[in-house]
Amino acid sequence: MAKNGTSGARRWCLFEPEWFAETGGACPMVGRILEGFCQGLRIVLGILVALLAVPVGMQVISRYTGIIPTFLWTEELSTFIFVWVVMIGSMVAVWEGTHFDVHVIPDAKRPLMVLLQKGIVLVLVGLFAVLFAWYGIEYAKFGSLQQSVMMRANLMVTYISVPIAGAVWAVFVFYRLYEVVQAYRCSARSSS
């Protein structure tokens, strides 16, 4: 455990005055709750990746050895699991700040420029997340009307991952935006 109360994982906000980092961020209780939620997502992600190995392994063995018969449902199941792995992985990546952020200009050094640089990225990601969640609801409704061919499973099982991911991205991004604004306010107070 790092001295600022985080799990030692890379903090998203690269600009943090020492005393801001020591308090655990802008709103420590909310940050801890969201970090705990993200830790749960990491655990689910690990379980899903382990589960994904089963149908994929069955496909490989049946295709290349003939030891077991070819089961067509394994392809659908692996697709369903893979969609959730991608969506949950993107949720974790948004929390850790390792997704949706391409550095095309050098990191800013002045607090206002850091606020603008990170704020613009976060607002754009937040806008995308809200749109993803909003339009994902209709997408999930469309999926609820369909069934998979082999397993006869309702496709909402995978389609619902889109609005859920969008909502989680939005919560994570708006918390990070709040952190960046608070870091700027604190640095402005400490410099004056």
Side-chain angles (χ1 to χ4, degrees), residues 34-112:
L34 292 176
E35 178 60 42
F37 178 68
C38 190
Q39 188 61 34
L41 289 175
R42 289 183 193 108
I43 291 167
V44 170
L45 188 61
I47 292 169
L48 286 176
V49 169
L51 286 175
L52 184 61
V54 174
V56 170
M58 288 177 68
Q59 289 174 0
V60 170
I61 291 171
S62 69
R63 188 170 296 150
Y64 293 110
T65 64
I67 296 174
I68 58 174
T70 303
F71 296 112
L72 298 177
W73 59 266
T74 57
E75 187 172 339
E76 283 184 357
L77 182 61
S78 60
T79 302
F80 293 168
I81 295 171
F82 187 70
V83 166
W84 276 100
V85 165
V86 168
M87 290 307 199
I88 293 174
S90 70
M91 293 177 214
V92 171
V94 167
W95 174 252
E96 293 175 350
T98 56
H99 206 43
F100 303 125
D101 190 5
V102 178
H103 291 281
V104 289
I105 58 174
D107 286 332
K109 303 291 184 222
R110 294 187 358 231
L112 179 61

Side-chain angles (χ1 to χ4, degrees), residues 134-144 146 158-163:
W134 181 261
Y135 289 107
I137 293 169
E138 288 301 317
Y139 182 68
K141 288 178 184 176
F142 173 70
S144 70
Q146 301 177 45
T158 56
Y159 285 48
I160 195 72
S161 66
V162 173

